[in-house]
Amino acid sequence: MFAQANWVCLVLAALLIAIPASGTRYQANWESLDARPLPTWYDEAKFGIFVHWGVFSVPGFESEWFWWHWQGQNPPDTKCVKYMLDNYPPGFSYPDFAPQFHAQFFDPDDWADVFEASGAKYVVLTVLHPKDLYLAHVPGMWFWNWNSVDTGPHRDLVGDLAEAVRNRSLHYGLYNSLYEWFNPLYLADKKNNFTTQDFVLKKLLPELYDMVLSYKPELIWSDGDWEAPDTYWNSTEFLAWLYNDSPVKDVIVTNDRWGAGCYCKHGGYYNCADKYTPGELPKHKWEKCQSVDTQSWGYRRTMRLSELMDLPSIIQDLVQTVAMGGNYLLNVGPTPDGMIPPVFEERLRGIGAWLEVNGEAIYSSKPWRLQTENATVPVWYTSKYSSVFAVFMTKPTVYTFHLSEPITAESTTVTLLGNLEPLRWAPLHPRGLIILLPELPPTPAQAWILKLDGVK
């Protein structure tokens, strides 16, 4: 009864939370919703941190999909089955992991310090992975107290991190899975070919509205949509409220995972697929999500150094993504006791050190008329205002550096970011130039940037 009353209150809040904004009112259809301009902060930010954290961090085996691989897929993953037989007593269930998700060393200020030091401008935390522990509390909506306030850490992890992140002027986003692997309401709707919506109306939507009203995220990273159409999820109705009347209506950014067939087609910006890299410059704003651990998004006890992205690989991925007009969302998986593994922290701080010198070519940049060329070494281009930036990640074997595409003028100047002295250069015809490079400073990132001012 309490859950039903609370749902009614949330519906009323969804309708009455704000006085209708003047100007555009977005309708609950894709033509209208897709016409909404993307808030400018997102494109300017360029780089964010993804955090996959939950009960799946306790077994820390295979990936964050451990529960599904163990007990959901048919046949089950034999490695996961063996792991449980070898390490846990008979009858041990996935929810039995929850009390071991202590997060006893979780210090949101420490996390936020690392994220700020990385140079990231936004952070996205997994509030709910498919049927994993909800990292916050929604009173009266729980069938079995499956949230981080009532079990495990006994604290509001989402709220704690929100305060720390915002105190450092970083934008805060939340990941939420629409579907849940083992929820009986969802399974019943699925059995009915999604002609019923008990899961959506009684579980999903109350949580989504409460998440927005309670934490006021500036980004919602939706996932778990692909088994059902957007009409089942009531996606367009929720997004219309989000864009028109929610407390974050002017700043909220959303992705494209709102129903089967929405990928790369509908939403605020496009993810298209995990670790997506387009073959040519997209016409729509997009984001590449990538994980430092190439084998998993969540923490793994068995991860090896050879399975992790090194700093030069991360910087190259970041540069290529930004040159193609995308944002780069890099994932780390904390331990169940709330620590960011040192090897992840080392990568993040390394990115920040490189961006401290070279961020001018990344933040608020735009794709140039050409994204890449290969003259002396491969080069990726970005631009900002009247400046063009040429990023190269292979150290030339000679001191002369050839760029084929820029069109110079007598007033053109060339500098190496981090070095104030202008570089000597000579024009080529009909376009291009040869630059005399100085001794390149050593950098663990293995990437350097030339700034060209006054090119056409």
Side-chain angles (χ1 to χ4, degrees):
M1 177 64 71
F2 182 74
Q4 184 177 3
N6 204 13
W7 164 231
V8 172
C9 291
L10 282 169
V11 170
L12 291 175
L15 296 175
L16 302 176
I17 185 67
I19 298 173
S22 59
T24 302
R25 294 283 299 177
Y26 298 99
Q27 304 303 310
N29 61 70
W30 288 120
E31 182 180 6
S32 177
L33 297 170
D34 289 343
R36 176 181 181 257
L38 196 69
T40 56
W41 74 259
Y42 179 77
D43 183 55
E44 293 171 352
K46 300 303 180 186
F47 175 44
I49 302 297
F50 214 176
V51 183
H52 273 67
W53 196 33
V55 170
F56 50 78
S57 307
V58 177
F61 187 74
E62 290 290 281
S63 75
E64 71 286 349
W65 279 57
F66 175 79
W67 193 2
W68 176 259
H69 293 322
W70 172 35
Q71 293 186 316
Q73 71 180 34
N74 186 23
D77 187 312
T78 55
K79 289 183 290 185
C80 294
V81 172
K82 185 177 187 303
Y83 178 80
M84 293 304 299
L85 291 174
D86 290 347
N87 296 282
Y88 295 92
F92 193 95
S93 67
Y94 188 82
D96 291 330
F97 283 121
Q100 301 175 38
F101 182 56
H102 297 298
Q104 67 268 39
F105 301 129
F106 170 56
D107 184 332
D109 285 312
D110 282 349
W111 282 28
D113 283 343
V114 173
F115 298 153
E116 182 182 36
S118 76
K121 300 302 182 183
Y122 62 106
V123 176
V124 180
L125 174 68
T126 51
V127 177
L128 180 67
H129 197 260
K131 200 49 184 170
D132 208 81
L133 190 73
Y134 197 83
L135 302 189
H137 186 49
V138 184
M141 292 183 185
W142 300 100
F143 297 103
W144 47 309
N145 295 327
W146 189 232
N147 65 87
S148 67
V149 175
D150 291 330
T151 189
H154 295 289
R155 63 189 289 188
D156 182 349
L157 303 174
V158 174
D160 290 348
L161 186 60
E163 181 179 3
V165 164
R166 286 171 172 150
N167 282 344
R168 287 152 183 82
S169 299
L170 303 179
H171 299 276
Y172 192 51
L174 299 175
Y175 166 109
N176 187 78
S177 174
L178 299 181
Y179 88 147
E180 297 181 11
W181 293 320
F182 305 112
N183 189 296
L185 293 178
Y186 178 73
L187 293 177
D189 286 347
K190 185 176 180 178
K191 186 177 181 180
N192 294 331
N193 293 319
F194 300 111
T195 57
T196 56
Q197 291 181 291
D198 286 344
F199 171 74
V200 173
L201 298 177
K202 296 178 180 178
K203 180 69 165 54
L204 171 65
L205 287 178
E207 288 176 359
L208 277 174
Y209 283 116
D210 184 86
M211 183 179 78
V212 173
L213 297 175
S214 297
Y215 302 108
K216 299 176 178 59
E218 293 166 89
L219 188 153
I220 294 180
W221 214 100
S222 182
D223 200 11
D225 61 313
W226 54 84
E227 289 190 347
D230 62 90
T231 51
Y232 169 73
W233 303 115
N234 280 15
S235 296
T236 56
E237 289 83 358
F238 171 73
L239 290 173
W241 168 78
L242 191 67
Y243 294 168
N244 290 323
D245 299 314
S246 79
V248 292
K249 58 186 174 61
D250 295 325
V251 297
I252 190 67
V253 171
T254 63
N255 66 344
D256 58 352
R257 302 188 180 191
W258 295 99
C262 286
Y263 277 26
C264 264
K265 186 177 180 181
H266 296 302
Y269 67 87
Y270 296 165
N271 285 121
C272 298
D274 292 351
K275 305 181 181 181
Y276 171 73
T277 299
E280 58 185 22
L281 183 66
K283 296 180 180 179
H284 193 92
K285 183 63 186 181
W286 66 285
E287 176 187 75
K288 180 173 186 176
C289 58
Q290 178 65 276
S291 185
V292 176
D293 179 356
T294 62
Q295 305 300 305
S296 176
W297 299 89
Y299 170 71
R300 287 190 305 139
R301 301 176 186 274
T302 57
M303 65 180 179
R304 298 177 180 274
L305 193 61
S306 61
E307 296 168 333
L308 306 182
M309 295 183 72
D310 60 18
L311 182 59
S313 297
I314 292 171
I315 296 298
Q316 180 172 341
D317 211 20
L318 166 65
V319 167
Q320 293 181 6
T321 298
V322 172
M324 296 289 282
N327 275 27
Y328 192 63
L329 187 64
L330 184 66
N331 177 77
V332 295
T335 65
D337 52 16
M339 299 295 293
I340 297 175
V343 68
F344 292 163
E345 180 178 348
E346 182 267 345
R347 298 294 195 274
L348 296 184
R349 291 188 181 276
I351 300 167
W354 185 81
L355 285 170
E356 189 172 354
V357 175
N358 298 285
E360 181 183 359
I362 302 299
Y363 303 123
S364 300
S365 66
K366 300 291 183 182
W368 195 44
R369 59 176 172 81
L370 184 77
Q371 284 67 65
T372 185
E373 69 159 273
N374 189 356
T376 303
V377 295
V379 167
W380 288 84
Y381 287 106
T382 66
S383 66
K384 186 190 298 184
Y385 309 122
S386 60
S387 299
V388 174
F389 301 92
V391 190
F392 56 102
M393 290 153 280
T394 301
K395 194 170 185 177
T397 58
V398 295
Y399 286 101
T400 54
F401 196 88
H402 178 195
L403 292 175
S404 301
E405 287 299 321
I407 302 174
T408 62
E410 289 186 8
S411 59
T412 297
T413 60
V414 181
T415 54
L416 179 72
L417 291 189
N419 186 343
L420 297 178
E421 293 296 323
L423 304 182
R424 295 173 61 187
W425 64 273
L428 298 173
H429 298 286
R431 63 179 63 199
L433 69 162
I434 293 179
I435 304 162
L436 185 62
L437 289 181
E439 184 69 34
L440 294 176
T443 168
Q446 292 296 299
W448 302 266
I449 301 182
L450 295 170
K451 179 181 180 182
L452 288 72
D453 288 307
V455 294
K456 296 180 181 179

